[in-house]
Amino acid sequence: MDKLKTVFVTGGAGYVGSALIPTLLDNDYEVRVLDLCIYGENVFGEHQNHPNLTLIKGDIRDQELLKSSIEGADAVIHLACISNDPSFELNPELGKTINYDAFIPLVEISKSLGVKRFIYASSSSVYGIKEVENVTEDLPLEPLTDYSRFKADCEEELLKRAEEGFTTLIVRPATVCGYAPRQRLDVIVNILSNHAFHNRKIKVFGGEQKRPNIHIKDMVRFYLNSLEWESEKIDRKIYNAGYHNHTVNQIAKIVRHNIGEDVVLEKTPTDDNRSYHISSQKIKDELGFEAKHSIEEAVVGLCQAFESGNLPDSMNDSKYFNIKRMQEIDLV
């Protein structure tokens, strides 16, 4: 396989992208990022002005912009979306236009311009709630929300368009955790770490529900590898990607153990007993990919970021919280 040289990343100034883009640049890729940059433009640290980085501030719904931006790219990594159920529910019509309506033109434009590989970030939420212990990729999808339904629909649309010379790969990640230059503090491990560090108290809603997570370093490694795996190994494949499945109680105890035994765990009953758990055995067996970084590592990394001042005003600044920022700017 000829090496893929130029990578177009949608949503590359987001949480995962802010950690991924510097890694791609360090591995000699030419990188183009398309992002609205609503959480900030300077999210790549010392790589911000890298000669192989082009940051395009724009909207994936702009098809003319897509055509001019993608031309000459070898691969597309599609991260951009209104991320997670609460953010989507703020404005369902907006969510649909970005997460679904913009997807098919993106794929078709990519194909027409000779992109060789298209990697799609779906979500493990597409399974809905399963009773079986190991939720594998061959189980039926039973999405519970519009957010997860459109993720599933996009998977189907991408697979329809796969063909020789246009390799497609779909990943269903667990919830990402850990420190990144464009930090999110509205996902479970990061929320609990923020509250434990600053308030010395964690509210645990329910507790027995399972929440699969994956460290952002492992997620970055997956996308890097996705550009390097042989096409025949990954074409039209779908993989879960996660670390161990933990209950909310277990996550809270990991956070307290790593931040301080003085942290109080406050239990609160909840009506939300959704329990998600996935198996990541298939990707290990077929591609040798296995999550290496633990939840403990994510917590410690966040603590170091809090202590060093890399996440100022982490309880309040809207840039760490998708819903807060979207409400502020009234994205349409």
Side-chain angles (χ1 to χ4, degrees):
M1 176 188 92
D2 291 337
K3 179 174 163 60
L4 304 167
K5 295 185 182 70
T6 303
V7 187
F8 179 75
V9 185
T10 70
Y15 179 35
V16 172
S18 71
L20 171 62
I21 302 309
T23 302
L24 293 177
L25 293 167
D26 286 344
N27 282 271
D28 298 324
Y29 288 97
E30 291 191 20
V31 183
R32 302 176 195 163
V33 171
L34 176 64
D35 201 297
L36 283 168
C37 298
I38 64 175
Y39 303 98
E41 294 178 43
N42 296 305
V43 295
F44 305 123
E46 62 187 22
H47 293 76
Q48 190 69 33
N49 298 308
H50 196 287
N52 288 342
L53 172 63
T54 305
L55 176 58
I56 304 147
K57 190 174 177 182
D59 195 315
I60 62 163
R61 294 171 289 182
D62 182 341
Q63 293 183 30
E64 292 308 311
L65 180 62
L66 288 179
K67 288 172 188 171
S68 62
S69 305
I70 294 172
E71 187 163 12
D74 300 309
V76 170
I77 299 176
H78 180 41
L79 305 178
C81 70
I82 300 297
S83 185
N84 77 17
D85 294 331
S87 300
F88 190 99
E89 287 157 11
L90 265 185
N91 185 337
E93 187 52 41
L94 171 72
K96 179 176 181 287
T97 65
I98 291 176
N99 289 17
Y100 181 71
D101 296 342
F103 182 77
I104 295 169
L106 172 66
V107 176
E108 293 187 336
I109 289 166
S110 299
K111 270 183 80 170
S112 71
L113 291 172
V115 166
K116 300 181 185 75
R117 185 168 297 195
F118 193 104
I119 298 128
Y120 175 50
S122 184
S123 166
S124 57
S125 68
V126 296
Y127 295 112
I129 296 171
K130 305 288 191 197
E131 294 302 321
V132 297
E133 185 55 36
N134 287 307
V135 176
T136 54
E137 292 85 346
D138 54 351
L139 290 177
L141 305 188
E142 299 172 304
L144 298 173
T145 63
D146 282 347
Y147 167 75
S148 47
R149 179 167 65 85
F150 288 129
K151 283 289 189 185
D153 289 346
C154 287
E155 290 187 14
E156 188 180 327
E157 294 293 346
L158 181 58
L159 290 171
K160 275 186 205 169
R161 290 163 174 78
E163 61 182 37
E164 182 86 23
F166 185 67
T167 300
T168 64
L169 173 62
I170 295 165
V171 62
R172 295 172 180 161
T175 301
V176 181
C177 61
Y179 172 73
R182 190 263 122 168
Q183 187 63 52
R184 282 188 67 183
L185 293 171
D186 54 2
V187 287
I188 186 162
V189 172
N190 301 359
I191 292 171
L192 297 185
S193 299
N194 194 20
H195 281 263
F197 186 89
H198 291 99
N199 296 338
R200 315 312 288 183
K201 187 199 296 190
I202 300 174
K203 284 188 179 175
V204 177
F205 294 93
E208 293 309 309
Q209 319 95 304
K210 284 188 174 173
R211 291 289 183 269
N213 290 273
I214 185 167
H215 196 292
I216 196 161
K217 287 181 179 176
D218 285 316
M219 208 64 245
V220 166
R221 186 165 52 90
F222 169 85
Y223 289 120
L224 182 64
N225 289 355
S226 73
L227 299 169
E228 297 168 349
W229 284 314
E230 295 293 330
S231 293
E232 56 270 20
K233 283 190 172 181
I234 62 168
D235 191 24
R236 304 171 209 220
K237 291 290 183 73
I238 300 173
Y239 292 107
N240 294 337
Y243 187 62
H244 304 306
N245 295 298
H246 289 87
T247 66
V248 175
N249 276 334
Q250 288 170 330
I251 295 169
K253 286 174 181 173
I254 290 169
V255 170
R256 179 172 66 181
H257 179 71
N258 284 278
I259 291 182
E261 295 301 332
D262 64 306
V263 172
V264 176
L265 301 188
E266 189 177 281
K267 298 283 186 77
T268 305
T270 180
D271 295 331
D272 180 8
N273 291 308
R274 292 173 301 161
S275 189
Y276 300 109
H277 38 102
I278 57 169
S279 166
S280 300
Q281 194 63 40
K282 178 183 172 187
I283 194 170
K284 181 181 177 183
D285 292 345
E286 294 188 6
L287 297 174
F289 181 88
E290 187 174 14
K292 295 176 178 175
H293 298 278
S294 64
I295 288 177
E296 286 88 344
E297 255 185 89
V299 176
V300 170
L302 287 164
C303 285
Q304 290 169 344
F306 295 139
E307 286 166 351
S308 63
N310 285 339
L311 297 173
D313 197 20
S314 66
M315 296 301 296
N316 302 301
D317 193 327
S318 66
K319 71 183 178 187
Y320 306 122
F321 306 95
N322 285 8
I323 287 181
K324 275 189 187 179
R325 182 52 62 94
M326 286 172 62
Q327 286 173 323
E328 269 183 8
I329 65 168
D330 196 22
L331 184 63
V332 291

